[in-house]
Amino acid sequence: MNIIIFGPPGAGKGTQAKFLVKKLESFQISTGDMLREEINKNTDIGKKIINNMNEGKFVEDEIVNTLLEKIIFDKKKTNKLIFDGYPRTISQAKNLEVLLSKSNQKIDYVFFLNVNKDFILKRIEKRKILEKRTDDDANTILKRYDTFMEITKPVLDFYSKRSYFYEIDGSEKIDVISGKIDQIITL
Ligand code: AMP
């Protein structure tokens, strides 16, 4: 089963992705984590993307798409993909469809965790203390939220027409959200 957890920064995508990884014995594909690792290891990609990341801007599609390609064709991950933070642009969504179809896979579910700006600001304040992320200050998060709304809205429109698309209130308690997701995937 391949699942996309979709939503603005701070919506709880990572938390829900981790639950699904455990439940379905799958792999969390967090492009944010992959990109942060490039920065931490100070790779060529890391050097290229650090400014964009710290300013809350998206990293170029080409870089993210390349990082993703290896994972899609990794046989041990086939049909065990839980996407968290990808795709974020129409070009990425189309790239994902092409790569999945080339590897005889498909998306089974898209869960859109819907939350508003005020809720995100409160949640990010907590995460900043827990995870010590350099892109979690209030200004960056507002920028990331606006970027999401502006660039990612077409991706939402792209998926919302599909039969496998489900919108979930992301401001509910974590276990309520995971309960709803579990119910849908076991239908
Ligand atoms: P995340 O951990 O998913 O909140 O992502 C943190 C940051 O990584 C984002 O604000 C972007 O700068 C970058 N990023 C993560 N995933 C993507 C993606 N699919 N496309 C472009 N930039 C991304």
Side-chain angles (χ1 to χ4, degrees):
M1 197 181 283
N2 295 322
I3 297 175
I4 297 175
I5 313 281
F6 190 74
K13 299 186 294 292
T15 304
Q16 296 303 329
K18 285 188 177 71
F19 283 143
L20 286 169
V21 162
K22 215 168 167 194
K23 186 182 164 70
L24 302 171
E25 293 179 0
S26 293
F27 298 88
Q28 180 179 2
I29 315 302
S30 161
T31 41
D33 283 350
M34 288 158 72
L35 294 166
R36 277 186 288 277
E37 204 181 309
E38 296 289 331
I39 292 178
N40 291 339
K41 287 187 183 157
N42 202 23
T43 62
D44 287 345
I45 291 181
K47 287 178 199 148
K48 253 193 223 166
I49 63 176
I50 189 160
N51 288 340
N52 271 15
M53 292 269 296
N54 283 342
E55 287 167 18
K57 293 181 192 155
F58 280 3
V59 169
E60 286 159 52
D61 284 336
E62 208 188 312
I63 293 178
V64 190
N65 286 342
T66 307
L67 286 178
L68 196 88
E69 197 162 340
K70 285 184 217 142
I71 289 165
I72 305 271
F73 290 98
D74 180 348
K75 289 230 157 49
K76 80 173 186 287
K77 295 185 180 162
T78 300
N79 286 320
K80 291 182 176 186
L81 304 167
I82 312 293
F83 294 98
D84 155 19
Y86 187 95
R88 265 171 151 106
T89 64
I90 281 287
S91 145
Q92 292 179 12
K94 289 185 177 160
N95 178 62
L96 180 61
E97 290 211 326
V98 171
L99 292 177
L100 286 175
S101 126
K102 275 189 189 162
S103 57
N104 287 321
Q105 302 183 72
K106 63 178 174 57
I107 292 298
D108 295 289
Y109 296 100
V110 173
F111 293 110
F112 170 43
L113 304 183
N114 199 359
V115 284
N116 66 34
K117 216 171 186 170
D118 288 342
F119 182 84
I120 288 173
L121 275 175
K122 278 188 212 132
R123 187 177 267 175
I124 290 292
E125 274 307 307
K126 282 190 209 154
R127 184 168 80 180
K128 191 178 164 183
I129 297 161
L130 290 174
E131 295 183 18
K132 296 189 180 67
R133 278 176 53 165
T134 53
D135 61 349
D136 267 352
D137 70 72
N139 280 338
T140 309
I141 199 67
L142 290 178
K143 170 83 188 137
R144 287 167 62 209
Y145 185 84
D146 292 340
T147 306
F148 175 86
M149 283 306 175
E150 198 183 308
I151 305 179
T152 310
K153 177 72 176 43
V155 184
L156 188 60
D157 298 340
F158 178 88
Y159 286 119
S160 62
K161 299 183 197 97
R162 308 285 167 101
S163 58
Y164 52 67
F165 176 88
Y166 294 86
E167 180 170 338
I168 292 179
D169 180 357
S171 64
E172 298 245 46
K173 288 210 171 77
I174 287 173
D175 56 337
V176 173
I177 297 173
S178 62
K180 285 185 180 173
I181 293 177
D182 281 355
Q183 222 178 6
I184 294 166
I185 62 177
T186 47
L187 280 179

